[in-house]
Amino acid sequence: MITRLSKLVMVLAFALYASLAAFGNLTDYNSNFTLVAHVLMMDTTFPGNQGLWRAIQSPTVHHTVYGLIIGTEIVIAALCWLGGFRLCKNIKDPAAFNRAKGLAILGFTLGFLLWFTGFMTIGGEWFLMWQSEVANGQQAAFRLVMIIVATLIYLVQSDEERHR
């Protein structure tokens, strides 16, 4: 029961994180929008680098990408909240708890796609975010990816009632 409770708490904690990330991006839109715009424009990467042809100067695209990020954070939060509530409802029955993990697993998987594929892969490697001292979110994204991976590994482990 303690293991199931700890898994539930971890799912709800990540739901809270994703909720606060989306809330912050919505209520202080320009703070992180500026970072996204710099990454897409590649204006803070090494001067004259050979990848500058990839830069996107369109403010419409910048707002669209940022909107997709925020929308994805909202979906991650919703999946983790709903998954957490489903886990809570089934916490006393190990078999039902195992079957109830789906939404939480989807939430964490979507989080992996956002922060690994979106930030580390596309932002970091395609838009060369790693070159920027001003607009480099790779370390923060890496921390989230590690939290997500560790939690996913723990969450997907089968839960059984252990008798001593």
Side-chain angles (χ1 to χ4, degrees):
M1 178 78 161
I2 297 295
T3 302
R4 292 191 301 276
L5 182 59
S6 81
K7 290 177 181 183
L8 168 63
V9 168
M10 292 174 80
V11 169
L12 293 176
F14 198 76
L16 178 61
Y17 174 83
S19 298
L20 292 176
F23 179 78
N25 285 334
L26 288 169
T27 58
D28 187 14
Y29 186 88
N30 286 326
S31 289
N32 284 323
F33 172 75
T34 302
L35 178 116
V36 170
H38 280 303
V39 169
L40 295 174
M41 289 186 294
M42 301 175 70
D43 61 347
T44 60
T45 59
F46 300 158
N49 75 65
Q50 297 300 305
L52 289 174
W53 62 271
R54 303 174 194 161
I56 298 172
Q57 303 301 328
S58 168
T60 302
V61 173
H62 301 165
H63 285 285
T64 301
V65 168
Y66 192 45
L68 287 171
I69 291 168
I70 295 169
T72 303
E73 290 170 340
I74 291 168
V75 173
I76 292 165
L79 287 168
C80 288
W81 283 118
L82 292 171
F85 292 136
R86 189 175 281 179
L87 292 174
C88 185
K89 182 177 155 190
N90 293 286
I91 197 158
K92 292 183 180 180
D93 179 357
F97 188 85
N98 285 328
R99 290 189 302 272
K101 294 176 182 179
L103 290 176
I105 291 169
L106 282 174
F108 280 96
T109 302
L110 187 56
F112 180 86
L113 289 173
L114 174 62
W115 286 294
F116 179 74
T117 305
F119 283 80
M120 294 180 69
T121 304
I122 296 170
E125 295 303 319
W126 183 255
F127 290 104
L128 306 175
M129 183 169 52
W130 63 269
Q131 292 183 5
S132 177
E133 291 182 26
V134 176
N136 188 343
Q138 284 194 294
Q139 287 183 349
F142 179 76
R143 286 191 300 269
L144 286 169
V145 168
M146 289 296 96
I147 290 166
I148 289 166
V149 168
T151 305
L152 261 174
I153 290 169
Y154 181 50
L155 179 62
V156 300
Q157 299 302 306
S158 184
D159 289 273
E160 302 169 1
E161 202 60 57
R162 291 181 176 88
H163 301 286
R164 294 179 183 210

